[in-house]
Amino acid sequence: MSSPILTIDTPAGPVRVTAGHRQDDAVVFELGGAMRGSVHVTGTTDPHHWDQFTAVRACLGPVNAYTTTAPDEDLPRLARSRTGYRGSLTLYRDHTDRPQVSVHPILSAADHPPPEKTAAVLTAVLRGCAEQVAQRADLPAILEASRQRDTPGLLRFLTWSASYHQAEAARLEREARTALPARKAAEAAWRTAARWLSLCPHPVLLLMLADRPDSLTQKIRGLQWWVPYCVSAAAEEHERARRAQEEADSLRAQQRRRPRGRRPALVGTP
């Protein structure tokens, strides 16, 4: 085995990390010391901007966990344990350009969460491997290959998402239009019942006007809340549809352009 390029201190002891074979869109690391197995690191989209391939994702195992499931016997494990784990971590920068991580649930092959100490070890190793790739000179090539790999699937999803959210917005707007006359009719019925009650008190009229389930009062109160909710929710759905369409257009534009130069690393050298 080649000399370790990285040693990660963990609660279980140091983990020695060695760069294995480089794929077009990923680096596979071999683990030694306190852990055994592999970590697969590839490029991916920013969690908040699906058209921007500026992040890296580290997966437990020798393959990209988002496209292929590694056999249980190939999952990384602590040196003194027989339990392998799967999961991933995404390293990206926030709007202030500070590095952030997003951890996908880490589970054993039997779908059990790891003990706290084991989780800390696995997370530290995933982050260490992700940070190493984020500082590599060939990061731009990895990100570009990842963009080419994932763009077709992302375009299908974003096109579906834009259509779905537009349909939801239209449904909510119909709900608001329907609820408005229903509220006016309920208010008119309430006034009529109140007038009858003043002329001829009757228990049924009292029930219709009381603040109780299925009464006119409760119906009016619900419709008063429902109309503005539908209007607000429809606006949110329109915004989701606009953003999905915008990201899809951006990805298509990137497909038409040739790669330009080198992208900066996610994590600078301390």
Side-chain angles (χ1 to χ4, degrees):
M1 180 181 288
S2 303
S3 299
I5 61 170
L6 180 66
T7 299
I8 304 170
D9 291 326
T10 75
V15 176
R16 296 186 297 275
V17 180
T18 305
H21 60 284
R22 155 76 194 281
Q23 302 172 1
D24 288 342
D25 60 355
V27 180
V28 176
F29 295 96
E30 300 300 326
L31 309 176
M35 274 193 69
R36 297 287 187 270
S38 305
V39 170
H40 182 285
V41 184
T42 186
T44 190
T45 59
D46 182 291
H48 307 294
H49 303 281
W50 288 12
D51 59 326
Q52 298 178 17
F53 280 80
T54 55
V56 295
R57 184 177 65 240
C59 300
L60 291 169
V63 296
N64 185 348
Y66 277 60
T67 59
T68 305
T69 301
D72 292 350
E73 61 270 17
D74 290 342
L75 295 176
R77 62 202 67 211
L78 297 186
R80 294 186 175 89
S81 173
R82 296 182 179 180
T83 303
Y85 290 93
R86 57 172 55 95
S88 66
L89 175 148
T90 299
L91 175 66
Y92 65 100
R93 285 187 177 276
D94 63 18
H95 67 282
T96 64
D97 205 36
R98 294 176 62 87
Q100 301 291 332
V101 296
S102 173
V103 180
H104 192 271
I106 296 175
L107 298 171
S108 71
D111 290 332
H112 299 307
E116 184 176 349
K117 179 180 176 181
T118 301
V121 174
L122 298 172
T123 302
V125 170
L126 285 172
R127 178 160 188 165
C129 293
E131 289 176 344
Q132 201 283 329
V133 170
Q135 297 178 40
R136 288 173 63 116
D138 57 356
L139 173 65
I142 294 172
L143 293 175
E144 174 60 21
S146 300
R147 183 189 67 77
Q148 293 178 7
R149 177 198 68 211
D150 289 346
T151 291
L154 280 171
L155 282 174
R156 287 192 295 271
F157 169 74
L158 290 170
T159 300
W160 169 86
S161 181
S163 176
Y164 171 80
H165 289 302
Q166 284 286 23
E168 278 296 288
R171 181 186 66 79
L172 287 162
E173 287 167 347
R174 287 194 301 271
E175 291 274 359
R177 289 193 297 270
T178 302
L180 189 58
R183 189 190 73 186
K184 291 181 178 179
E187 289 171 345
W190 189 95
R191 289 192 293 270
T192 299
R195 188 165 56 252
W196 289 350
L197 182 66
S198 65
L199 296 174
C200 182
H202 192 282
V204 173
L205 295 173
L206 286 173
L207 291 175
M208 293 174 64
L209 298 174
D211 188 5
R212 60 182 297 278
D214 300 325
S215 69
L216 284 172
T217 298
Q218 283 285 10
K219 183 176 182 179
I220 292 169
R221 184 171 297 164
L223 289 169
Q224 285 174 335
W225 167 85
W226 184 242
V227 173
Y229 166 79
C230 287
V231 172
S232 176
E236 292 176 359
E237 292 294 330
H238 277 304
E239 175 58 22
R240 294 187 183 103
R242 183 201 64 78
R243 181 170 178 178
Q245 187 61 55
E246 187 178 79
E247 291 180 335
D249 292 343
S250 173
L251 284 171
R252 291 189 182 97
Q254 291 177 56
Q255 279 186 315
R256 293 191 293 267
R257 293 197 301 265
R258 297 182 64 180
R260 298 178 181 176
R262 173 181 173 180
R263 300 187 188 185
L266 283 172
V267 182
T269 304

